[in-house]
Amino acid sequence: MEEMVLVLDFGSQYTQLIARRIRELNVYCEIHPWNKIPEITANVKAVILSGSPFSVRDEQAPQPDLSQIKGKLPLLGVCFGAQYLANQFGGEVLPSKIREYGRANLTFVNENFPLTKDIPDNSQVWMSHGDTIATIPENYEIICSTADVKVAGYHINGEQTYGIQFHPEVYHSTDGATLLKNFIVDIAGFSQSWTPDSFVEQTVSELKAKLGNDKVVLGLSGGVDSSVAAMLLNKAIGQNLYCIFVDNGLLRKNEFEEVLENYKGLGLNVKGVDAKDDFYTELKGLTDPEAKRKAIGKVFVDTFDKEANLIEDVSWLAQGTIYPDVIESVSATGGPSATIKSHHNVGGLPDYMKLKIVEPLRSLFKDEVRRVGRSMNMPQELLGRHPFPGPGLGIRILGDVTAEKVRILQEVDHIFISGLKREGLYDQVWQAGSILLPVQSVGVMGDERTYENAVALRAVTSTDGMTADWSHLPYEFLAKVSNDIINKVKGINRVTYDISSKPPATIEWE
């Protein structure tokens, strides 16, 4: 089994960042809720305790069972994790007289400890806490401080246990990567052997053993996740993988034909299904975003089920589920997670589809999926594609969906995306798209008054989609795209550009 870092999640907004930073060191890690600690097997070589929105002084604060961890494995407490290890074992945590949020600088660093090796005295760190460690137990030793926080970090004598009050996983902690490497490599002794090539080799081997000669069906979307999942499965079982690519009538212009051709060029056993009319019929008259998503999901499942039943003796359904989907389905506090919006490819299958599930990417983040695809020599055009919502243009047309509205938005979107690629801006943007607004506005075209549709263009920068900022595209580019859209797309006389960040706005409008 792969050697692993176990990250116990107490509900911090930064927990996924801890995992991502560890993965960047070519070390495998998993996030688990603090109240669902998995069995500590021999491959678990270190544990990290995350931050939390709770105070250790709260009655409902997490109380993890660390009896199989503390003093037995290298252990690092971050923020809440550090306060918990101090408070629980004889120290005292009190409300801060000066709360620290944001940037701070270390004023003292004891480099004699392996955790703080190569961390300079003035290193910038990122703080986010309202409590402070007032006193530490007798066998604890301070290893770093800031001007306002004396116990910014400590070590427990006789153990490989450390606590730090700041967040090394956040980019604003300038030496955070060094500190994590010190803990993971120097203290815990990881070999840094978890690479894209090793992932492909191990995953293909596991898939061969798991699937044998069974047949697998996979719904391709044209996106990165399902495409990389398909290539891994193709390496493992070849023609026993049956791929289905459904045209729901909500794809981008020419996307169905182009993507289908790309898949066949990769040697995949793929069938294209034109189901546009079925989707348009189900969507007729629907304006509520959730109702539209559910309708699109229903028709997709029905279409996929019909096609899957044409394959004799199929046993497995493959999905492109990735690690953030898995993490976000489990609440760190044990309570229900809020539903912002539903996705038709999340939540499993209806009861009548009796297939076992295989998810080759469920341990990977999105950027890791792309790296795995590159290691299999997949074309950059496919791996570099922007994320595209499962319901497609159906949730970029505000209000009811018709074939004519789809046609208009496809033309607008084609001009926008083609322009980004032509001007070398596409790869600088995390995601871009066009939204057809449910309003009409007055315009003048030639000598005539017009009363036509308005569209919004949306382009954002991000690392993982969890937060995003609007892309500062050149004014000249936006002016040209706007002019091209209004001149070339009949039915549009006004173009706007969305400059909202996430949060508070989501990337998609519905």
Side-chain angles (χ1 to χ4, degrees), residues 71-105:
K72 300 177 181 178
L73 291 171
L75 175 63
L76 175 64
V78 176
C79 197
F80 173 92
Q83 293 176 356
Y84 178 82
L85 290 172
N87 191 67
Q88 193 73 9
F89 297 96
E92 186 177 28
V93 174
L94 298 173
S96 301
K97 292 180 181 178
I98 300 176
R99 296 191 304 170
E100 278 199 318
Y101 291 99
R103 294 174 179 83
N105 289 90

Side-chain angles (χ1 to χ4, degrees), residues 169-200:
E169 69 273 22
V170 175
Y171 281 117
H172 301 298
S173 290
T174 52
D175 296 288
T178 300
L179 186 144
L180 288 173
K181 184 175 185 292
N182 289 344
F183 178 70
I184 298 298
V185 179
D186 296 347
I187 296 172
F190 280 86
S191 62
Q192 296 182 277
S193 60
W194 192 70
T195 63
D197 287 345
S198 70
F199 176 85
V200 171

Side-chain angles (χ1 to χ4, degrees), residues 192-232:
Q192 296 182 277
S193 60
W194 192 70
T195 63
D197 287 345
S198 70
F199 176 85
V200 171
E201 182 180 350
Q202 181 178 336
T203 301
V204 169
S205 175
E206 290 172 355
L207 289 170
K208 284 180 178 178
K210 183 175 187 175
L211 302 174
N213 291 318
D214 290 352
K215 293 180 180 179
V216 178
V217 63
L218 167 66
L220 288 169
S221 68
V224 175
D225 301 336
S226 66
S227 302
V228 173
M231 288 299 291
L232 286 167

